[in-house]
Amino acid sequence: MRSRGLFSRCALVLGLVFLYVPILSMVIFSFNNSRLVTVWDAAHSPTLKWYVALAANEQILRAAWLSIRIALVASTGAVILGTLAGVALARFGAFRGRLLLAGMTTAPIVMPEVITGLSLLLLFVAMEQLIGWPKGVGAVTITLAHITFCMAYVTVVVQSRLAGMDESLEEAAMDLGARPGRVFFRITLPLILPAIASGWLLAFTLSWDDLVITQFVAGPGSSTLPMVIFSKVRFGVTPDVNALATILVLIVATGIGVSTVWMRYQQRRRERDVLLAAAANL
Amino acid sequence: MVAGIPILWLLVLFLIPFIIVFRISFSEVRLAIPPYTPLFTWHHGSPSLQLHWSSYAFLFTDPLYVSSYLYSLKVAAVSTLCCLLIGYPMAYAIAHAAPASRSMLLMLIVLPFWTSFLLRVYAWIGLLKNNGVINNVLLWLGVIHHPLALLQTDFAVYIGIVYSYLPFMILPLYANLEKHDGALLEAAADLGARPMRAFVRITLPQSLAGILAGSLLVFIPAVGEYVIPTLLGRTDQLMIGRVLSDEFFENRDWPVASAVAILVLLLLVVPIMWFQRLERQELTAK
């Protein structure tokens, strides 16, 4: 027993090293002076010159701004559609179209992205021929595509949260005469809010990061940040991309750190409230 | 209404697109906008379908396509196996860690996933290339005297896929292993089974559903992977996702690209259905 525990613990540590070394190397080399990126120029490093270059790069800034706007709209749309689908799948029992909906929400998660991208573009082209909308491809078609593949993830997150949740509160509300809409907004929605929030974050990240599907449904003048990065790194390593990666890692780490501290704080407050309530009863 | 809106959305933006891809795979390429023969032609006031099999005939006769299919399957299978061999002990260790540190460890597994996938693949270029970090360290240690060719090899693609998809293997495995009842293992030990035997006879069979879910989550997208082989892989042997994209963007042959997509789908339809069944069981079991 002990020896196997040791083996799996070693595997865990090595696995984590494997997951983090590449990220760490990007961070380190973003402060390197040399254009060769992976050869450390000890005489002139660390330097912030790639960050300065990044801040002056109009193309990257424009693409980042477009990506943020698309991700904001797409993740919000995906959360609305995904929550509806998740609630329907988890609470409506066997309704007509259940199997269809269940199938269509899990398939996009594993579907190879080139296929999704190609099929969406062909749809948009066929639609334009047929009804004259959308006029060409661009930010609108990218957003529609992102909503579609992101909502699958939101559905799974919301559905599994609801599946693990007791229905008795909702039933009690209904027994007391609350209408279904009221039950949803007063009981169900507050209870699944954490799942919706993490679904939104997940959708935002996926949309912000997507390259393959976006490439198919993007047009001239609608290059997102991953598209710009891909065209830069396709033919080798460029140091300003390291600087960009470092900034992203910093944002994510800060976000996770803040949310962890926030959750700890909430938990401690709850515990204190329980203690106070117990003391008041003495 | 609640179910209707998402169903309608997915019908229009997920299901109908596949029907269109299917239809266009039976069109012929032409110099026009859009670059394929129309979906329907009108004959005496009624629509008629004209099916061309040329794209499929082309795919089956050109050895380039057959070999990229087989190569994609091989790469996906090997990467899935590596993910399983690395991910299983990691998931096991997390499931057996103290409850307080479990969520912390899970967060460490998921955290890289929140940073950009593209940038994490890009990071491996810097590590693997001829004057990259790995070669520099090995040269400095004196293990090798000439840089190893690591980039643009099968090895680099395996690393890239394992690195990017490892969390997808670990999470379902952890979800499964965490539910196991320790009493069974204790009973086996009491009855004199050695740890290895107890693992093979009890833990492994019980975790089969987790192994399957994780493997499918890695294997299916890996078959069609585009970014990783393009950035890290060989230039003389393409994977099928790259072939599809090149047919579409470089050759502007939409019917052939559609036919490639349909053949990949045919190949993946069994594993995808399998995955959906597992997913349904998982979601209704709770």
Side-chain angles (χ1 to χ4, degrees), chain A residues 23-204:
Chain A
I23 296 174
L24 207 66
S25 86
M26 270 195 297
V27 173
I28 292 172
F29 284 104
S30 73
F31 298 105
N32 187 13
N33 185 56
S34 164
R35 187 155 257 296
L36 281 170
V37 186
T38 50
V39 182
W40 186 256
D41 176 7
H44 303 95
S45 304
T47 169
L48 287 176
K49 76 175 185 189
W50 303 117
Y51 292 84
V52 176
L54 195 66
N57 191 327
E58 280 273 336
Q59 191 197 14
I60 284 191
L61 293 180
R62 223 183 7 251
W65 177 227
L66 178 68
S67 283
I68 289 177
R69 280 179 298 165
I70 288 175
L72 279 175
V73 178
S75 54
T76 308
V79 156
I80 295 169
L81 288 167
T83 306
L84 290 176
V87 168
L89 286 172
R91 285 290 186 265
F92 285 11
F95 58 90
R96 236 165 18 119
R98 182 177 206 289
L99 207 64
L100 184 68
L101 182 61
M104 288 194 302
T105 48
T106 42
I109 294 179
V110 283
M111 189 63 64
E113 286 189 291
V114 278
I115 298 180
T116 313
L118 175 72
S119 67
L120 281 166
L121 175 69
L122 295 181
L123 169 81
F124 293 137
V125 171
M127 275 171 69
E128 193 182 355
Q129 271 187 298
L130 212 63
I131 58 171
W133 188 89
K135 286 249 172 293
V137 282
V140 174
T141 48
I142 298 176
T143 310
L144 289 174
H146 283 195
I147 290 176
T148 308
F149 81 85
C150 289
M151 77 173 273
Y153 290 87
V154 179
T155 307
V156 170
V157 172
V158 169
Q159 191 190 352
S160 56
R161 165 81 185 154
L162 277 168
M165 215 172 72
D166 197 357
E167 280 178 65
S168 56
L169 277 175
E170 288 152 294
E171 279 162 9
M174 276 196 279
D175 287 346
L176 292 170
R179 285 159 187 268
R182 199 175 153 83
V183 174
F184 177 76
F185 283 106
R186 298 295 296 268
I187 312 275
T188 317
L189 194 64
L191 284 173
I192 58 172
L193 214 56
I196 292 179
S198 56
W200 188 88
L201 280 175
L202 188 61
F204 185 93

Side-chain angles (χ1 to χ4, degrees), chain A residues 1 4 7-9 11-12 15-16 18-20 22-23 25-26 29 36 38 81 84-85 88 92 95 97 99-101 103-112 114-115 118-126 129 144 147-148 151 156 159-160 163 201-202 205-206 209 211-212 215-216 226 229-230 233-234 237-238 241-242 245 248-249 252 256 260, chain B residues 2-3 5-7 9-18 20-21 24 34 36 89-90 92-94 105 107-109 111-120 122-127 129 131-133 136 159 162-163 195-196 199 217 220-221 224 226-227 230-231 241-242 244 248-249 254 257-258 261 264-265 268 272 275-276 279-280 283 286:
Chain A
M1 199 67 200
R4 199 172 70 238
F7 169 72
S8 64
R9 269 203 295 273
L12 181 60
L16 286 173
F18 173 63
L19 284 179
Y20 283 91
I23 296 174
S25 86
M26 270 195 297
F29 284 104
L36 281 170
T38 50
L81 288 167
L84 290 176
F92 285 11
F95 58 90
L99 207 64
L100 184 68
L101 182 61
M104 288 194 302
T105 48
T106 42
I109 294 179
V110 283
M111 189 63 64
V114 278
I115 298 180
L118 175 72
S119 67
L120 281 166
L121 175 69
L122 295 181
L123 169 81
F124 293 137
V125 171
Q129 271 187 298
L144 289 174
I147 290 176
T148 308
M151 77 173 273
V156 170
Q159 191 190 352
S160 56
L201 280 175
L202 188 61
T205 316
L206 290 166
D209 196 32
L211 169 72
V212 181
Q215 262 188 340
F216 277 94
I229 294 175
F230 188 66
V233 303
R234 194 166 176 177
V237 193
T238 55
V241 173
N242 283 343
L248 288 183
V249 168
V252 171
I256 300 275
T260 311
Chain B
V2 173
I5 296 169
I7 288 181
W9 181 283
L10 287 168
L11 276 180
V12 174
L13 281 121
F14 189 71
L15 208 60
I16 293 179
F18 284 115
I20 298 177
V21 172
I24 290 178
Y36 51 83
M90 291 176 74
Y92 188 92
I94 300 175
L105 288 169
M107 204 179 78
L108 282 175
I109 300 287
L111 201 60
F113 179 80
W114 291 94
T115 64
S116 162
F117 160 75
L118 179 59
L119 289 172
R120 278 181 297 131
Y122 155 79
W124 280 99
I125 302 178
L127 293 175
K129 61 183 196 158
N131 57 353
V133 174
N136 283 347
I159 289 239
V162 171
Y163 180 68
M196 200 58 211
F199 174 78
L217 262 178
I220 303 169
Y226 168 81
V227 173
T230 304
L231 289 183
R242 173 73 183 278
L244 191 161
F248 186 83
F249 287 110
W254 293 18
S258 303
V264 174
L265 268 182
L268 293 180
I272 288 176
F275 173 74
Q276 293 195 322
E279 191 74 1
R280 263 203 298 284
L283 283 169
K286 272 181 193 167

